[in-house]
Amino acid sequence: MLSQFMVLFGFFALVLVSIFWINKAVRMFDRLISDGQSAWIFIEFTALTLPGVIGTVLPIAAFAGAVYVTNRLSTESELTVMQATGFSPWRLARPVVYYGAVVALMMSVLLHLLIPLSLKQLEQRRAEVSGNITAKLLTEGEFLHPAPGVTFYIREITPKGELRHVFLSDRRRVSAPTTYTSASAYLVQEGDGTKLVMLNGLAQNVSPDGQRLFTTHYDDFSYDISSLVAQNALSPDRIAFASTPDLIRDPAAVAERTNVTLGAAVAELHNRFAQAILCIVAALVGFSTLLQGSFSRFGVWRQIIIAFLLLIGIKVVEAGVTAPVLTVPALWPLMYVPSAVGLVLSGAMLHSAANPGLFRRRRREAKALT
């Protein structure tokens, strides 16, 4: 059973990761390519988002794998045979627990190590790329809009770095729009800024009343384009980047460093552990719910729907317990309530499957007493 669980888990994880990752990659592709970035930057960014995507789909894949395998064993009468030979539902649940523990271990590696590192690296690279003015502007044959009210066009870029036939329209000041054209231009780094040096060009200004056009011919003209590209502040100390040992050792210091409340730091710490436990809970809920159905060649679809609804209910409980912890950090045990609810439900359903006549017998006893 454990081997079947792992095989189906790998299949569902691959499918779900592909769907989520491609969806994220498409949005990122549009944004990066429109900014003039290379394909290598796109590949690097999408690779850095992969750990977060995997962490999102692992509990879902664990649940789907447990439900699929249990449904197949029930449809092919294998569960019935195993129970007839003396295997109790508690004994049958043992490989499910092992399976959930393996997935939880994978989830722990992601939550405590890979996801914080990848998010931090992604933020650093995003800040570096957003400040790369050259990559944003050096696109020939296309009208670019690096900032609101600014249009930039280059007809040709020579191998030596010369920009030919440059057009720059600056309409940020509505009362005084200016258009610059030049036969050639160069990008020059000066300190922390970048200047566009235009040669043999023309500057055109429209009067505030819009009735007169002033033109100025120039041999060379320097235009500061650093302000055309919005600079994203580098945030190397977000709470999501903090390591788990730091959060355990001194959550108050991490909260102060990352400019969040103590409750947010405590919730982040315990959420990493709770999400790993939830992988075990998801597998057990799927397995124990399907044991409630009797043998049928058509499968146990009603139980599958119930299992799915139970999992949604656990996620709703999870969303409800986070807000109190953010307000009062001492309430951190609430973060484990969803997992506890799932384990109690799974235990109750396994007990019901081990004693199928228990509730009917109690109903008969109650009728006899009345």
Side-chain angles (χ1 to χ4, degrees):
M1 287 179 65
L2 180 59
S3 64
Q4 292 187 51
F5 282 135
M6 295 308 302
V7 169
L8 268 299
F9 164 76
F11 170 75
F12 284 113
L14 179 63
V15 172
L16 291 173
V17 167
S18 300
I19 294 173
F20 279 75
W21 195 33
I22 290 174
N23 184 45
K24 185 181 290 291
V26 168
R27 297 197 303 268
M28 191 173 294
F29 179 84
D30 290 338
R31 185 169 63 252
L32 291 175
I33 299 303
S34 64
D35 285 343
Q37 305 300 332
S38 64
W40 175 250
I41 295 294
F42 164 71
I43 294 173
E44 182 183 4
F45 273 46
T46 52
L48 289 173
T49 63
L50 187 57
V53 174
I54 296 176
T56 302
V57 306
L58 278 192
I60 305 174
F63 173 79
V67 167
Y68 187 92
V69 171
T70 307
N71 180 49
R72 188 171 66 184
L73 293 176
S74 175
T75 304
E76 297 175 358
S77 306
E78 294 185 42
L79 276 180
T80 304
V81 172
M82 285 188 285
Q83 290 175 313
T85 55
F87 284 82
S88 69
W90 297 99
R91 175 63 182 82
L92 292 173
R94 188 182 302 174
V96 183
V97 175
Y98 295 157
Y99 160 63
V102 172
V103 179
L105 180 61
M106 299 178 188
M107 190 73 166
S108 297
V109 173
L110 286 168
L111 291 171
H112 298 296
L113 181 62
L114 297 181
I115 291 179
L117 290 177
S118 65
L119 289 177
K120 185 174 183 178
Q121 180 66 21
L122 180 62
E123 181 69 15
Q124 291 175 343
R125 293 293 293 128
R126 183 181 289 120
E128 293 171 3
V129 168
S130 67
N132 189 347
I133 299 175
T134 301
K136 285 179 173 289
L137 296 181
L138 294 187
T139 303
E140 60 182 18
E142 182 177 349
F143 285 93
L144 304 176
H145 304 278
V150 177
T151 302
F152 188 71
Y153 175 84
I154 304 171
R155 181 178 180 181
E156 181 185 1
I157 303 175
T158 67
K160 295 183 179 180
E162 180 185 3
L163 315 181
R164 292 181 177 174
H165 304 289
V166 175
F167 171 87
L168 175 61
S169 175
D170 188 349
R171 302 176 306 281
R172 288 176 293 180
R173 292 177 57 191
V174 179
S175 59
T178 305
T179 300
Y180 303 93
T181 56
S182 66
S184 62
Y186 296 90
L187 287 178
V188 178
Q189 291 291 134
E190 186 174 289
D192 295 332
T194 302
K195 294 186 180 297
L196 178 67
V197 179
M198 294 178 282
L199 309 176
N200 301 322
L202 175 70
Q204 304 176 65
N205 302 85
V206 180
S207 62
D209 57 10
Q211 301 298 318
R212 303 176 67 185
L213 175 66
F214 299 92
T215 62
T216 304
H217 293 270
Y218 56 83
D219 293 328
D220 59 84
F221 178 77
S222 177
Y223 186 92
D224 188 1
I225 63 172
S226 301
S227 61
L228 298 186
V229 181
Q231 302 288 328
N232 294 334
L234 182 61
S235 302
D237 286 328
R238 290 185 183 177
I239 189 63
F241 307 160
S243 66
T244 300
D246 287 344
L247 287 170
I248 294 175
R249 185 167 48 250
D250 195 349
V254 175
E256 182 179 358
R257 188 182 74 226
T258 57
N259 197 28
V260 298
T261 63
L262 178 60
V266 172
E268 174 69 22
L269 171 62
H270 291 283
N271 182 64
R272 296 180 182 182
F273 291 99
Q275 288 299 315
I277 299 174
L278 196 61
C279 294
I280 303 176
V281 172
L284 278 174
V285 167
F287 175 77
S288 59
T289 306
L290 266 65
L291 284 185
Q292 304 303 303
S294 58
F295 168 74
S296 173
R297 285 292 180 184
F298 298 102
V300 284
W301 293 106
R302 185 177 65 179
Q303 284 72 27
I304 292 176
I305 296 175
I306 293 174
F308 184 70
L309 294 177
L310 288 176
L311 187 63
I312 293 177
I314 292 172
K315 296 300 290 184
V316 170
V317 174
E318 181 184 23
V321 300
T322 304
V325 178
L326 294 174
T327 306
V328 184
L331 297 177
W332 62 263
L334 291 177
M335 298 294 296
Y336 300 95
V337 168
S339 298
V341 170
L343 291 174
V344 169
L345 287 173
S346 301
M349 288 185 287
L350 289 173
H351 181 72
S352 173
N355 303 274
L358 179 62
F359 295 104
R360 290 195 297 269
R361 184 169 63 251
R362 287 184 177 177
R363 283 197 295 267
R364 287 197 300 267
E365 291 174 355
K367 283 184 179 181
L369 290 175
T370 55

